[in-house]
Amino acid sequence: MAKVPSAVVAAGGLVGGYGVARWTGNRQLGGAVLAVAGATAAEQWRQQAGGKAAGALTAAYVAAFAGSHPLAKKVGAWPAVLGVAGAVALASWAVADRNG
């Protein structure tokens, strides 16, 4: 079975976490989706690019989540989430997925 690229896991966690929270009205459930995907991506990053890169990408993932909130006030919720998810996916691909 082919492994899902870490860029897809990370972006999916950001988009999926927001979607679950919005559609269920349960922020904790959305947070759980975000956390599980983030932990999965972090492990992939560690395996593919090493601990330092995994730490940096994990920090970017958390910063993207946090940054999406003030960004949403300027551009709207979905554009903010999709924008930060795209940025994290691009960083993940460049650091961990591109050569794997």
Side-chain angles (χ1 to χ4, degrees):
M1 179 192 302
K3 184 165 83 170
V4 176
S6 63
V8 173
V9 173
L14 289 161
V15 173
Y18 174 69
V20 166
R22 181 169 176 121
W23 290 317
T24 66
N26 186 330
R27 292 178 69 169
Q28 292 80 12
L29 185 57
V33 170
L34 179 83
V36 168
T40 301
E43 179 58 21
Q44 285 183 276
W45 294 329
R46 187 192 63 73
Q47 290 174 0
Q48 293 171 241
K52 286 183 182 180
L57 288 168
T58 300
Y61 184 81
V62 172
F65 167 69
S68 69
H69 292 81
L71 183 60
K73 291 179 180 176
K74 296 182 187 278
V75 300
W78 277 113
V81 171
L82 294 173
V84 300
V88 168
L90 181 61
S92 179
W93 173 82
V95 173
D97 294 331
R98 179 174 46 165
N99 298 321

